[in-house]
Structures are given as C-alpha cells and as structure tokens.
Amino acid sequence: MYEHLLYEVADGIATISINNPKSLNALDPATIEEFGACIDEVAKDKAVKALIVTGAGPKSFVAGADISKMVLMSAEEGARFAALADGFFSKLEALPIVTIAAVNGYALGGGCELAMACDIRIASENAIFGQPEVGLGIIPGFGGTQRLARLIGKGRAKELILTTDRIDANEAYRIGLVNKVTSKEELIDTCKAMIGRVLKNGPFAVAVAKSCIESGMDMDLKNGLKLEADAFGLTFATEEKKEGMTAFLEKRKANFG
Ligand code: DAK
C-alpha cells in the first residue's frame, strides 16, 4: 500500500498514478521514495509486461516538485533530493519492459521530466508541458536539461527551459515531445492499444532494442553500432528468434508465450 500513489496490475499492465490531490500531484521526497519502491515492485513482478505512469484526478499529471517542501531545503538537502530522484527516474528508464507516460494534464518541471523518463508519451488534449524551474531560481534537476535536449534537440530545449513557456499537447506533439495526442476519455485505452502492439513482439528482443537505444544515445555512432552488433548476436541465440522466424515461414502469428 502506498500513501502517495495508486498502484494496480491488470492483464499484465501495471499502472502507477501519482496521487497528491492537494498539490496537483506535486512530487515531494516521500512521493519520490514511494515511486522508487514501486518501480522495484514492478521490476520484480514477472507478471508485469508493461507500465503506464499517470496522474490521479482530472487535471494534472504532475505539477512538478513540491515547492512548499523545496522552499525549506538547504543546498545539501537539495542535492540529496536530486540524487534520490535521479536514481529513481533512471531506474524507471532502465526497466526492461515498455513504459508509457499517460499525460493527463499539467506536466510541469519534474512532471515533464518524469514523462521524459518513460519510453513513450501519450498526452490528452488538456495536457500542458513546461519547465518553469529557472523562474523559481533553480534549474531542471530531475534530468530535464539532459533528456529534453536529447528528445527535442538543443535549440528547442533551450527555448523551453530558458523562457519557461508552457506548451499545449498539440505543440508538444509538433516538436516531438509526445508521441500522440488523444481525447481525455481515450487516453488510457490509447496507451493500452500501443502496449498491445509492443506485447505481440518478442519480449527479450523488445528489452534488448530498448536498452540499445538508451545506451547508444550516450555513445558515438561507431560504438553504438558495435553495441548493436553484439546485442544482435545475442538475439540469434534465443528461442524467441526461432519462434518468430518459424512463425513467419509457416504463415502464422508468432507465439512468444
Ligand atoms: N508544489 C506545491 N504545490 C503545488 C504545486 C507544486 N509544484 N503546484 C500546484 N500546487 C498546489 C497549489 O499551491 C494549490 O494549493 P492550495 O492553494 O489549494 O493549497 C493547489 O495545488 C492547486 O493549484 P492552483 O490553485 O495553482 O491551480 P491552478 O489550476 O490555478 O494552476 C498550475 C495550476 C499547475 C498552473 C499552478 O498550480 C502552478 O503553476 N503550479 C506550480 C508549477 C511549478 O512551478 N512546478 C514546479 C516546477 S519546479 C530538484 C530537482 C528537480 C526539481 C526540484 C529539485 N533537486 C535537484 C533537488 C524540480 C523542480 C520543479 O519541478
């Protein structure tokens, strides 16, 4: 049981909903700590094949870090808070299963950063994205200066971070910050439909492809291609590869179990 999260698993899909209704789901240290524990629970549960991260309630995904808690933190406490959160966001990113942020409202500061630590972002039409940190006299500290630039390019990342402009879901889609925009009502079903298209594929191949993309982004092309070649070889040793290719030749759907 969690105090700041709702957690459920249904049909192999885990859903974590950040649930701090009084602060539009702002992230305080206790919530981040629970989030880390919940990611561990997801990682351990072999029945979980995919993860959706969303915000409870109708209006907000996550409205950033909790300003009422941060205002009291010293520089030392701030650094500890950052290390705590960075570890958990990186753990989320490193999960071998597909993760989707269902962005159902405000995704500001740490909220936008949380969405960026997921593999894929699907937003409802009311979603609002932004990195307001420099307006508070700090900088994005949950990976925003790094992941945003990698996702949408340096120029656009600088524009969003330095101006603190908020953008809506359609603009986020236009610049590649989100993969899809849906109505509020269809958000979770759209996430589940995309998950379904991932889960029909070989789970080991999906995990290896995801890991190659993640690790390769931090390498030069030559080393990235070497990483890919090694990982490619690994997939040739699996039952999955045998089943996937045999199924094609037998003109049937692959059954990856
Ligand atoms: N923290 C605490 N409370 C918040 C909050 C937040 N981030 N966002 C909203 N709330 C609270 C409001 O104070 C209000 O509380 P009451 O007055 O009812 O007690 C309640 O939620 C409802 O909010 P509003 O009345 O403001 O609702 P509106 O619809 O009018 O506006 C809004 C919604 C999301 C546009 C607005 O609430 C807003 O601008 N919120 C703040 C957004 C923001 O600046 N977020 C923080 C970004 S900074 C770190 C690493 C990373 C970070 C920090 C540290 N380390 C390295 C240590 C990350 C920082 C951030 O995320």
Side-chain angles (χ1 to χ4, degrees):
M1 275 302 280
Y2 298 99
E3 202 183 321
H4 304 277
L5 310 175
L6 307 175
Y7 180 63
E8 63 158 37
V9 180
D11 302 324
I13 302 175
T15 303
I16 302 176
S17 306
I18 311 292
N19 186 28
N20 286 325
K22 287 190 184 140
S23 61
L24 297 178
N25 301 330
L27 298 172
D28 59 3
T31 305
I32 290 176
E33 198 130 19
E34 281 196 355
F35 188 79
C38 197
I39 296 297
D40 288 340
E41 188 173 343
V42 168
K44 276 194 212 120
D45 187 345
K46 295 292 163 240
V48 173
K49 311 288 185 206
L51 171 66
I52 295 174
V53 179
T54 192
K59 191 169 154 180
S60 188
F61 175 70
V62 166
D66 191 317
I67 300 169
S68 67
K69 302 279 165 44
M70 281 195 299
V71 72
L72 303 169
M73 283 181 194
S74 66
E76 209 172 83
E77 287 166 330
R80 250 203 323 272
F81 183 37
L84 178 80
D86 182 53
F88 293 150
F89 281 27
S90 296
K91 207 150 59 170
L92 165 65
E93 201 165 51
L95 281 174
I97 56 173
V98 65
T99 61
I100 300 191
V103 183
N104 58 323
Y106 290 112
L108 300 176
C112 188
E113 292 168 299
L114 174 61
M116 288 191 287
C118 293
D119 297 323
I120 290 162
R121 284 147 293 286
I122 301 184
S124 54
E125 285 153 348
N126 64 317
I128 300 282
F129 296 81
Q131 297 285 167
E133 287 87 346
V134 299
L136 297 167
I138 57 173
I139 66 165
F142 296 149
T145 61
Q146 303 306 304
R147 291 195 180 95
L148 191 60
R150 281 166 169 78
L151 204 54
I152 65 172
K154 202 163 75 167
R156 288 204 162 104
K158 283 182 180 168
E159 181 182 342
L160 277 182
I161 290 172
L162 304 186
T163 63
T164 71
D165 285 350
R166 289 186 199 154
I167 57 170
D168 65 16
N170 287 322
E171 177 65 359
Y173 175 72
R174 194 185 70 79
I175 64 174
L177 178 53
V178 304
N179 300 66
K180 230 180 204 332
V181 180
T182 73
S183 68
K184 234 171 149 175
E185 296 70 31
E186 288 170 323
L187 179 61
I188 296 299
D189 282 349
T190 305
C191 293
K192 288 183 176 169
M194 191 177 285
I195 286 170
R197 299 203 296 284
V198 174
L199 295 188
K200 70 180 179 10
N201 302 313
F204 181 71
V206 164
V208 171
K210 170 173 164 170
S211 157
C212 281
I213 295 168
E214 287 298 344
S215 303
M217 290 297 286
D218 298 328
M219 294 177 182
D220 59 30
L221 182 62
K222 191 164 164 244
N223 283 307
L225 291 174
K226 166 88 174 69
L227 172 85
E228 184 187 73
D230 292 345
F232 188 81
L234 268 186
T235 61
F236 265 64
T238 63
E239 283 302 311
E240 250 181 55
K241 173 253 183 183
K242 208 186 287 175
E243 167 60 11
M245 294 194 181
T246 306
F248 174 79
L249 295 172
E250 292 176 354
K251 301 190 186 308
R252 61 173 174 82
K253 278 201 175 123
N255 179 2
F256 294 111

